């Protein structure tokens, strides 16, 4: 079962930063935070993941609070192509590799 | 080169029929999965195979039978199709022992009439 809580929907103006929150208050010390997105009906796409340090890659930044009970995915300059459903997942590495997806946040980037 | 490929992309069939969806990955991964996404867009894991062995079998009717002939392939066979089986089925793969990501296929949309 999904162990994360996300707002069902958000809007963001094109060119602005999109900040997508996720609560994972019951996260364990060995659980990673992963973010995926699904554009329309395509297969989900990996964005980023982290354990406790903030992470950045070419797609996004992941900010994890010090107590690890919540995180924020930041898309620094949202484009129309970033309109998608964004999923936050917590998972222990190498436990049969279960990824349980919740309902996610539907992000709409507005021109 | 497509990393995770599924065939067919679309499948329309009658209730009671038997159908298969094939999945292949060329990433050298050792773990493969089937996910089902229903009309409410909820993405639910069905099966997971590691090195051709079943490691996850969620509560799925036994009409669904995955088969993994080798590490690069995980096929899904569905017997006696029902209306409720209509969904998009996604295949995915990953490398066990690594914290990294799942790679998904583009999905196979099954419509049961």
């Amino acid at each position: 079962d999904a162990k994360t809580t996300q707002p069902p929907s958000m809007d963001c103006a094109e060119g602005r930063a999109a900040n997508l929150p996720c609560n994972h208050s019951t996260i364990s010390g060995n659980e990673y935070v992963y973010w995926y997105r699904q554009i329309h009906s395509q297969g989900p796409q990996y964005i980023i993941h982290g354990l406790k340090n903030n992470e950045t890659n070419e797609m996004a930044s992941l900010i994890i609070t010090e107590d690890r009970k919540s995180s924020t995915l930041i898309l620094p300059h949202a484009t129309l192509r970033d309109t998608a459903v964004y999923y936050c997942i917590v998972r222990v590495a190498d436990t049969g590799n279960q990824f349980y997806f919740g309902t996610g946040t539907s992000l709409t980037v507005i021109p | 080169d497509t990393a995770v490929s599924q065939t067919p992309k679309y499948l329309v069939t009658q209730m009671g029929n038997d159908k298969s969806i094939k999945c292949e990955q060329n990433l050298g991964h050792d773990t493969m999965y089937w996910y089902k996404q229903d009309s409410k867009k909820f993405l639910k894991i069905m099966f997971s195979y590691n090195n051709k062995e079943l490691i996850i079998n969620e509560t799925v009717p036994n009409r669904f039978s995955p088969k993994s002939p080798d590490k690069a392939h995980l096929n899904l066979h569905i017997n006696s199709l029902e209306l409720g089986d209509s969904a998009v089925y996604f295949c995915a793969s990953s490398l066990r022992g690594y914290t990294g990501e799942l790679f998904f296929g583009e999905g196979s949309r099954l419509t049961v009439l």
Side-chain angles (χ1 to χ4, degrees):
Chain A
D1 290 331
K3 296 188 286 186
T4 62
T5 305
Q6 300 176 250
S9 63
M10 291 181 64
D11 292 339
C12 176
E14 188 178 17
R16 303 296 294 268
N19 297 286
L20 292 96
C22 180
N23 285 323
H24 30 80
S25 58
T26 61
I27 193 170
S28 302
N30 59 350
E31 286 184 314
Y32 286 73
V33 180
Y34 289 79
W35 283 85
Y36 282 76
R37 72 180 182 184
Q38 187 174 24
I39 297 173
H40 192 46
S41 294
Q42 297 177 20
Q45 175 191 24
Y46 166 82
I47 301 173
I48 199 167
H49 75 284
L51 183 61
K52 52 185 177 182
N53 296 326
N54 297 338
E55 302 288 345
T56 295
N57 63 20
E58 65 278 3
M59 288 182 70
S61 294
L62 173 60
I63 308 298
I64 303 174
T65 57
E66 194 168 339
D67 63 7
R68 303 210 322 122
K69 294 187 177 185
S70 66
S71 60
T72 301
L73 178 75
I74 301 172
L75 307 178
H77 305 286
T79 70
L80 298 179
R81 286 175 293 182
D82 292 322
T83 292
V85 177
Y86 287 77
Y87 297 97
C88 169
I89 302 162
V90 295
R91 167 187 172 266
V92 178
D94 194 26
T95 55
N97 289 336
Q98 303 98 312
F99 280 85
Y100 291 100
F101 288 76
T103 52
T105 296
S106 178
L107 174 70
T108 301
V109 180
I110 302 168
Chain B
D1 268 352
T2 305
V4 181
S5 59
Q6 302 177 223
T7 55
K9 286 188 169 35
Y10 299 95
L11 187 53
V12 181
T13 189
Q14 300 285 333
M15 273 198 312
N17 285 350
D18 303 338
K19 290 294 178 186
S20 293
I21 306 171
K22 296 185 176 181
C23 179
E24 175 182 7
Q25 55 94 3
N26 62 5
L27 298 166
H29 289 164
D30 57 4
T31 306
M32 295 184 71
Y33 314 75
W34 279 108
Y35 280 81
K36 177 182 179 181
Q37 189 166 44
D38 59 23
S39 57
K40 295 180 180 174
K41 303 296 185 183
F42 190 62
L43 194 61
K44 185 175 172 61
I45 189 167
M46 300 173 69
F47 301 101
S48 171
Y49 268 73
N50 176 255
N51 282 321
K52 303 192 297 174
E53 291 190 16
L54 181 66
I55 54 174
I56 294 174
N57 182 355
E58 295 289 320
T59 307
V60 176
N62 57 15
R63 298 181 296 104
F64 291 78
S65 52
K67 295 228 172 11
S68 182
D70 56 57
K71 284 197 310 183
H73 295 84
L74 181 63
N75 303 324
L76 183 65
H77 188 75
I78 315 170
N79 290 326
S80 303
L81 279 157
E82 300 177 356
L83 293 177
D85 298 332
S86 294
V88 181
Y89 292 85
F90 288 100
C91 178
S93 73
S94 70
L95 193 60
R96 188 168 186 177
Y98 173 57
T99 58
E101 64 267 29
L102 288 181
F103 288 81
F104 280 84
E106 288 302 304
S108 297
R109 181 176 293 276
L110 171 65
T111 302
V112 182
L113 303 176

